Amino acid sequence: MLLEKIISISGKPGLYKLVSQLRNGFIIEDVTTKKKVSIGNSSQVSLLDNIAMFTFEKEVPLFEVFENIAKNNEYKETISHKSSDADLKEFMLASLPNYDTERVYSSDIKKLAQWYNILHKAGYITPESFVKAEPETLEGEPAEEVSIEKETKKAAPKAEKPAAPKVKATSAAKSAPKSTHTKKG
């Protein structure tokens, strides 16, 4: 999917694309203006890829909802996020018919419509943008999985899974010398 690195930043309007990671933050690019800026690690960032909408049965990934909206609107812009609550609820029923009406608020629907329209204006909403980029793997093919893991480590060394044990080891190492030092002193 072409939308994996799109983020929302709490307190900032619009959507951004992650460009690169810095030691103390990230370089981001506004999806509509293409203006690049840096943000610190303290910013509250949400990857759209990790957001889901509640239904009565399960949580549906946001990009599946975007795909439904795109198909319903023939990959064109949808209603404004400033529409009436009744219009927004009708829009939501068309996009995700079994959405949980008690856990999905009007503000969530407004944000959904706004984000979809931002992505549409930026050229991200096309039939090709919803094609999955990952090749399907069959069971019993660990060689491909290993090569994917190696590529992931090269592409994003700070996001790899072994980082958590290192942090735990570091925390344990910091506390161990303190107790050893206390015994000596």
Side-chain angles (χ1 to χ4, degrees), residues 120-160:
H120 180 270
K121 286 178 186 174
Y124 284 93
I125 303 294
T126 64
E128 295 80 28
S129 63
F130 296 103
V131 175
K132 295 187 180 187
E134 298 178 58
E136 292 185 24
T137 57
L138 301 174
E139 290 183 27
E141 293 185 10
E144 287 186 26
E145 291 177 17
V146 170
S147 64
I148 291 171
E149 288 176 14
K150 287 180 182 175
E151 289 175 15
T152 304
K153 288 179 184 176
K154 289 178 186 175
K158 292 187 179 181
E160 64 189 42

Side-chain angles (χ1 to χ4, degrees), residues 2-62:
L2 300 174
L3 303 168
E4 288 108 358
K5 293 185 176 185
I6 305 298
I7 62 169
S8 169
I9 302 171
S10 181
K12 285 186 174 255
L15 294 174
Y16 302 87
K17 181 179 178 181
L18 284 174
V19 176
S20 66
Q21 186 172 359
L22 303 171
R23 184 182 309 179
N24 57 353
F26 300 93
I27 295 178
I28 58 171
E29 177 182 84
D30 187 301
V31 295
T32 52
T33 64
K34 305 296 183 199
K35 186 177 179 181
K36 292 181 183 177
V37 294
S38 64
I39 59 169
N41 283 335
S42 61
S43 299
Q44 278 190 308
V45 171
S46 299
L47 275 167
L48 296 194
D49 202 25
N50 293 338
I51 298 175
M53 306 267 332
F54 294 111
T55 66
F56 290 111
E57 297 84 33
K58 61 179 183 172
E59 293 181 18
V60 178
L62 187 62

Side-chain angles (χ1 to χ4, degrees), residues 31 38 46 55 72 74-75 78 83 101 110 132 137 152 158 161 180:
V31 295
S38 64
S46 299
T55 66
N72 290 344
E74 298 176 356
Y75 295 92
T78 191
S83 299
T101 54
K110 287 179 181 183
K132 295 187 180 187
T137 57
T152 304
K158 292 187 179 181
K161 288 183 181 179
T180 307

